[in-house]
Each structure stands twice: as structure tokens, then as C-alpha cells.
Amino acid sequence: MFRDIYDVIVVGGGHAGAEAAAAAANMGTTTLLITMNLQNIGQMSCNPAMGGIAKGQIVREIDALGGYSGIVSDSSAIQFKMLNRSKGPAMWSPRVQSDRMMFAQHWRNKLEQTEHLDFYQEMVTDLLFEKDSIAGVVTSLGIEIKAKSVVLTSGTFLNGLIHIGEKQFGGGRAGESASFGLTERLIERGFNSGRMKTGTPPRVDGRSLDYSKMIEQPGDSNPSKFSYLDDSHTLKTQRSCHMTYTSPVVHDLLREGFDRSPMFNGRIKSIGPRYCPSVEDKINRFAEKDRHQLFVEPEGWDTVEVYVNGFSTSLPEEVQFKALSAVVGFEKVKFFRPGYAIEYDFFQPTQLKHSLETKLVSGLFFAGQINGTTGYEEAASQGIMAGINAHNHVVQKESFILSREEAYIGVLIDDLITKGTEEPYRMFTSRAEYRTLLRQDNADLRLTPRSHDMGLASDKRMRLLETKSQKTSALLRFFEKTSVVPEDINPILTKKDSNPVKQSLKMGKVLARPNLTIADFLTLNTVSDFVAKEAIDTATLEQVEIQIKYAGYIAKEKLQADKLSSLEHVPIPKDFDYEKVKSLSIEARQKLNKIQPVTIAQASRISGVSPSDLSVLLVYMGR
């Protein structure tokens, strides 16, 4: 039934598992994807959308590395929005509303077209070990499958427990059984586990809603896309979302069920996501607010099923229905299924290396919600990194690590393994100290060369990047060297309420003004002729405008990043005994012994390690 031994086994077919399997197989290693239901590969368990604040940057980074999340998102999108356009480009974040069924179908198709990748449907209940190394997995049928490395991407399935009011039952998500055995086995090997909670809102029948009472939320008039590849296309037509609000009446109806809420009666003991609270948690914590936004999101092109974003709840189903019926536009609502909360096991990510390999077991990798994260994008990014590093482990190559100044993915993984998490971790732009460098528009410039060098990003992707880089450089040189005379530029400046010029100036200097855009210059014949001759596209125009306008900020962040990177090159010996360094504070010794940082820079990011502690360590490292 199986190979004698696989290079990589990926357990779980969610966003992390799909990316891990694709990455490992595309790099040439024999890979087996084992999941409990092959029909649910790439399933969107919660909201039917990809991207958003900081998450959109992650999807672009996955695409730049050669992953599939961006391509699948583009091919199944029903709406596209670039969020935060009113702010600086470091904050711009792409987001798509997705066709849920199409998304999963396209993921399945991409994986089935991947060489070196096999599939098997069953539950993995145990792991095989050889001393301190992974040796394979055991299924619920007792089948042993050997492997040189294993990636666990169990999502919310490890001992999953679903709550709806006072009812609770085992499950990984609605309609699917939980996974048992792995947590206990890992604890036996010395791992520390914990419990986390997440939730989801009711799905309702769109035919029962009155959209005329809601506020329409259309997509962008000129939509973009996620993938940098040119065989991915922008949307020609889009489906609108809608917005409505809760009210004091809705809140009072929800409060009637608080005595039966697992959130408040002690049935749920784990911590849920801070930035995506349930509706009962919102009205309890923010009692002074008399309303909260609800986004009414269609689940696809052809289905009438609707996702009620903002109404995540685990209250009894009759309370959910009664309260939602009091929302404007939902007076005649019909449920497809109620909302619920789910508790599941995770493993504190401080037990991992930067490669996502576990410190205790060689060749065993964790990715996704097993590491305490929340969100498709966070999971997918860990998946591709775990898949890459599982391959590298097998072929005995150095681990592929992204630093904090290289990618949001680097920030995410460093945060997890250095600080750990006590609640489901979600990425935000504010978590990245170099977010001007880590924009959504330049992920390919940052990451594709590195990925291509190790054999994941395709030659085609690299050729597209080289063309983009050449055109960007040509247009930058043009703006930096070409002058514009007052009689040509002043009409534009006057129209944009900008002070006119009295002498010729370089175009780049004029474009740097805050109230001008590169589109303003396209009315000049010299610019439009150059753009046409060089076949420069919109993305290149945007790239040049950002580089010119934010040159000072970019240079400053780059300098800061270079200074910090010098500490990244000061290694700390493996198993360094911090107890012998009596000059360190007690807290620093405890934290450093627990985390075992590999560089001084990583040590500097550990909570409780002070600048004076770092000075002591630098002396010990001979600096």
C-alpha cells in the first residue's frame, strides 16, 4: 500500500498541511499526506476569506516562496479589496472573499497535480520513534508507515471538544470527529501541551435576509490579485458583502442565555482569540457599546449560504436564533447551522527551533494551530516553512530560516518560539518592527530569489521577478535623472494644491511630494511615452512610487535592521549553561534556560532579559 519509507509524512490536510505537503513534494522528496477526510483538504473551517491586515502580506510571501495559497485564493475569489489604502503602503493589505467549495476543490486539484505526493485517508493515532528521532506514524487501523521526517498539522482536531450551550461533544469541527492519541504520546516524550479555544458563527440562508436594510460592501473598482504569477487573473465581476449592526435589544436577548453559556459557566476553561472574540464576550467586555458591526459574507458564487462575520458564539442554538432574528435585515432568518466553540490541544511553541522542528525529537515538525496560532494564513505560512525544512532535514541541508527583517513569516515564527503564547496568536502589522520593508508589494523581491536558489520557486517565477526588477530599476532611473520644466509640471501642481516650481527639477524630487501620485505624471508625454515603450505595468508604477516617496523611511529601517542583524551573527553555543553566569538576573537565567536561544539577537527578544543581561552574555561570547 505504501513505500517502504517516505521522506516526509504530513499529518493533516488543512492550510498548514496542504502547504507543507506541496513544498516538500515540489522540492523532490517523496511525500505522503495523511488526513482524516480527503474531501476536506484546504477546508475553510471559519470565514470564507483569505488575507486582511498583515495576513494579506503573509499570503503574498507564501506565493513569493512558491506556495499555492495565493494562486488558490485568486482562482476561487468572489471579491477583492486592498485594505488600509488611506494609510501608508506598509499598511496596505490585500484580502479576498472566497468561494468556499471552489477554494477546497482548487487546493485538491493543485495537490493532485504535484509529483512525488501520495495521499491516504485515515486518522494518525501514534508516532514511531528511533531513540530521539522520528521514524514514522501509526494509523487507527494499526498500520505503521515509516518516514524520515513527519510534519504534524492537526488544526483543532487534537482531543477537540465542541460546545453549543450546555451541550458538548467530541469533534474537530462541525460534522467531523476529533483526533485522539497523539497528544498523550507526545506528552510521554516530554512535550508540554495546553488547551485553546476558538469559535465560529452561525451559517444562514441568504434567501431569508433583507439586504435592502443593510449597507452594501462592494469590492475594489480596480481589483488586484494575490499571486505574482501572470497566469493568475483579476476578477471581472464581484459579489458584494453587506454590513449591519447588533443593537441593545439583540444584546439583551443574548444575555438571557449567559447562564447556559459555556464561556461563563465554567465549561470552557481555555483561552480564546483576543482579537476575534465571541459576540457574548464582546457585549460582556464592552458593555458600554450599544452596537457591534456584523459583516454578511456570501459563501460562494452560486450558494445561498451566508457567513455572519462578527457573530461567533457558543450560546444555546435557540438563543442564537432569537437574538440574530432581532438584527436589522435578519428578521426572517433561517439557519443552516448554529455557531459553536471548540476546545483543542496545542503545544507551546517554545519547544520548537526556528525551522519548526521540535527540540526533543529530530525530524518531527509542528505547523499551524498545534503551535497556538489562529488563522488560515498563519497556518499556511508555518506549513510551507515546515515542508521546506522537513525536506532539508531529509537531504541534510541547512535549515531555511527567515529573519524578522525579511518577512512577516519570520516575525511570526520568531515570536512563537521566542515568546510562546498564552492565547491564539494572530499576526498584525504592529508586530513587525520593519513593516516598511515588509510590504505586500515587494514580497517577491524579498523572497523569490532565496526560494529559487533552494529549488522551490520555479524558473518561470524567477524570470517574472527579473523582468519586474529590470522595469522597476529603469523607471526609477528615469524619474531620478529626467527633469521637468515649470510650464509642464505647474498645471499639475496647481490642480493638486501643491506649490508651483520656478525652475526645472528632477521628476523624482517632485513625485516625493505627499499630495502627488505617479498617475499625475502619466499626463506628461515624456513619462507616458517611456511607460509605453518599456511596457511598464501598474504594479511597477506603484513599486516605483513607493520607493521614491518612502526612500527615507526605507533607508532608516534598513539601517536599523542591519544593526540588529549583527547580533544575529553572534551565536550562543548549544546547551549553554546559564546557571554558571551568576551576573545574569534570576529571571533571565530561567527564561534563557527554557527557550535556549541560538543567537544574542533572539535572546534580546525574550521577555525578562534586560540590556544588562545582554551585555553580560556578550562578554561571555567574547564580544
Side-chain angles (χ1 to χ4, degrees), residues 433-434 559-568 601 604-605:
E433 56 269 53
Y434 306 117
L559 183 62
Q560 291 173 339
D562 290 343
K563 285 182 179 178
L564 185 64
S565 70
S566 64
L567 294 180
E568 297 285 4
S604 74
R605 295 188 288 270

Side-chain angles (χ1 to χ4, degrees), residues 126-127 129 134 152 158 181-193 347 351 358 360-361 364 366 370:
D126 202 354
L127 300 170
F129 301 94
I134 197 71
L152 289 186
L158 288 183
L182 287 178
T183 297
E184 294 73 19
R185 185 66 162 134
L186 289 166
I187 289 173
E188 285 177 12
R189 297 291 302 192
F191 287 89
N192 295 317
S193 74
F347 290 85
Q351 300 170 99
T358 64
L360 289 175
V361 179
L364 177 62
F366 291 171
I370 191 173

Side-chain angles (χ1 to χ4, degrees), residues 8 10 16-29 31 65-68 107 111 114-115 117 380 383-389 391 454-456:
V8 180
V10 177
E19 286 288 6
N26 280 326
M27 294 180 79
T29 42
T31 305
L65 288 169
Y68 289 153
W107 246 122
L111 291 173
T114 302
E115 285 189 67
L117 179 58
I384 193 171
M385 295 299 288
I388 290 168
N389 284 314
H391 163 85
M454 67 180 176
L456 180 55

Side-chain angles (χ1 to χ4, degrees), residues 294-340:
L294 298 179
F295 293 96
V296 185
E297 302 177 345
E299 295 260 345
W301 287 113
D302 302 317
T303 181
V304 297
E305 189 174 354
V306 168
Y307 178 90
V308 190
N309 194 339
F311 207 85
S312 176
T313 179
S314 57
L315 287 166
E317 63 273 21
E318 70 273 14
V319 175
Q320 296 183 32
F321 177 75
K322 193 174 178 182
L324 198 54
S325 298
V327 172
V328 172
F330 282 73
E331 293 84 358
K332 297 180 180 179
V333 68
K334 293 180 181 178
F335 271 35
F336 272 24
R337 58 185 166 98
Y340 61 88

Side-chain angles (χ1 to χ4, degrees), residues 241-258:
C241 298
H242 289 78
M243 184 173 69
T244 185
Y245 292 89
T246 61
S247 67
V249 173
V250 175
H251 297 181
D252 288 340
L253 290 170
L254 289 167
R255 289 189 184 98
E256 288 179 9
F258 275 15

Side-chain angles (χ1 to χ4, degrees), residues 45 250 613:
S45 306
V250 175
D613 292 321

